[in-house]
Amino acid sequence: MKNLQRGLDLPQMLFSLMFILIMITACLWVVQPFILGFAWASMVVIATWPLMIKLQHLLWGRRSLAVVAMTILLLLLFIIPIAVLVNSLIDNSAPVIAWATQGHLVLPQLDWLKEVPMVGDKLFSSYHLLVDGGGTAIMNKLQPYIGRTTGFFVAQAGHFGRFMLHLGLMLLFSVLLYWRGEQVGQGIRHFACRMGGRRGDAAVLLAGQAIRAVALGVVVTALVQGVLGGIGLAISGIPYATLLTVVMILSCLVQLGPLIVLVPAIIWLYWSGDTTWGTVLLVWSCVVGTLDNVLRPMLIRMGADLPMILILSGVIGGLVAFGMIGLFIGPVVLAVSYRLVSVWMHEVPPPDDDPVDVVEELTEHDDHTA
């Protein structure tokens, strides 16, 4: 009986497991306010680590100078533009909501329809017949819902103080990770090796490659398309071009593309009679809308050699499941799982026998067994 109790002390195992769970929960509780900032900092540092190493070589091998340079770059290219865009979104939201809710939504006259050859007069009369038959009533019914929808999205973007706090934490953690990146990476790899051996180490390395691929292929493409689309909107004279640029960047991040903003802007220009700028914006939108077909695959291949469908599925699924941070979590999970399953499958040679022979062999085996 003594040997049995010494060999398997069930209360000791239960209490040890309970203590470990309590410690893990307490640690997560303590660091919970910093998780989002640290997660974003990790994504940014992993994606820009090669650039930091190149800067360190250019700055006489001084890590401190490279960290200062990367901090300035993050401020100028990431934090300040995002803060300005969000602040502009909040500032411009009041007139947009007022315009959408105070009865200013009316259907346009579309006088330019008369200039369409052969069928212009008929189109113009048919359109006004439709408007006179109930178009105004339809707009009056839709107007409250448009106002509520606009107010909802502005309210979601209105937590400016909390957003800036997360940006500040992201910058602070980024500086620390740039300064001690090798030690942090080695510690994570060591922990992964302890958990899963060489496969655990490979999973960590694959996660880094997937993060870099998403940062280059998805985020950079969305920023390029959004900024170019915003330039086209501003030049064409579309009001609230900055606000629409933010919406366009977000729509590109969720893989809806920039045309969800550009097409209504083109229609609005034609409706208001400005056909020249409408045509210019139409041509520009064709260029911007197809840019991701060339730019995104090229950038993803620079980050990691992963299937395109895997990255895009991870981006969309991650956004639905985890929010904006899911942009990186989704592709990382799919990429690591895909590579580990692929390595596991290739540990044995692929079948090279003829399928007909395999089926006949299985049939003969079943007959002999019966």
Side-chain angles (χ1 to χ4, degrees), residues 95-118:
V96 172
I97 295 176
W99 176 79
T101 56
Q102 292 178 359
H104 298 298
L105 286 176
V106 294
L107 292 173
Q109 296 297 315
L110 297 187
D111 293 330
W112 59 270
L113 284 176
K114 297 179 180 179
E115 301 176 4
V116 178
M118 299 181 65

Side-chain angles (χ1 to χ4, degrees), residues 13-268:
M13 294 176 59
L14 291 176
F15 280 116
S16 299
L17 180 60
M18 186 173 61
F19 177 77
I20 293 173
L21 292 176
I22 290 174
M23 292 299 297
I24 293 175
T25 305
C27 291
L28 292 176
W29 196 3
V30 171
V31 303
Q32 187 269 335
F34 311 103
I35 290 177
L36 186 59
F38 185 79
W40 276 115
S42 301
M43 306 303 173
V44 170
V45 170
I46 291 173
T48 58
W49 185 259
L51 176 61
M52 199 277 294
I53 296 299
K54 291 180 181 179
L55 285 177
Q56 182 176 342
H57 288 308
L58 293 175
L59 296 173
W60 309 283
R62 298 285 298 275
R63 174 59 61 88
S64 58
L65 296 178
V67 172
V68 171
M70 289 302 301
T71 304
I72 295 174
L73 286 176
L74 286 180
L75 281 171
L76 295 178
L77 303 179
F78 188 75
I79 294 180
I80 293 178
I82 288 180
V84 170
L85 287 176
V86 174
N87 190 35
S88 176
L89 178 65
I90 297 172
D91 291 341
N92 293 328
S93 61
V96 172
I97 295 176
W99 176 79
T101 56
Q102 292 178 359
H104 298 298
L105 286 176
V106 294
L107 292 173
Q109 296 297 315
L110 297 187
D111 293 330
W112 59 270
L113 284 176
K114 297 179 180 179
E115 301 176 4
V116 178
M118 299 181 65
V119 296
D121 293 332
K122 187 174 181 180
L123 288 174
F124 182 79
S125 60
S126 300
Y127 171 74
H128 277 272
L129 182 63
L130 176 64
V131 171
D132 296 337
T136 305
I138 293 174
M139 292 302 296
N140 291 333
K141 291 181 179 179
L142 290 178
Q143 189 173 321
Y145 298 100
I146 295 175
R148 292 174 190 173
T149 305
T150 307
F152 170 77
F153 283 110
V154 170
Q156 296 302 312
H159 304 290
F160 188 65
R162 187 174 62 182
F163 180 75
M164 291 304 298
L165 176 62
H166 285 306
L167 284 182
L169 289 174
M170 187 273 291
L171 182 64
L172 175 62
F173 287 129
S174 297
V175 172
L176 297 176
L177 290 175
Y178 279 133
W179 186 258
R180 296 296 181 189
E182 290 88 355
Q183 291 87 338
V184 174
Q186 189 65 24
I188 294 174
R189 290 184 62 186
H190 192 182
F191 179 79
C193 286
R194 183 65 181 87
M195 292 288 292
R198 292 186 61 84
R199 278 199 177 96
D201 189 19
V204 172
L205 297 177
L206 287 173
Q209 293 179 4
I211 291 171
R212 194 167 292 123
V214 174
L216 289 174
V218 177
V219 178
V220 173
T221 302
L223 290 175
V224 171
Q225 284 188 292
V227 170
L228 291 179
I231 292 173
L233 294 177
I235 293 176
S236 301
I238 300 294
Y240 306 110
T242 305
L243 176 65
L244 294 176
T245 300
V246 177
V247 176
M248 204 161 9
I249 292 174
L250 293 177
S251 66
C252 291
L253 286 175
V254 300
Q255 306 305 303
L256 295 178
L259 297 181
I260 195 172
V261 175
L262 292 174
V263 169
I266 295 170
I267 295 174
W268 183 83

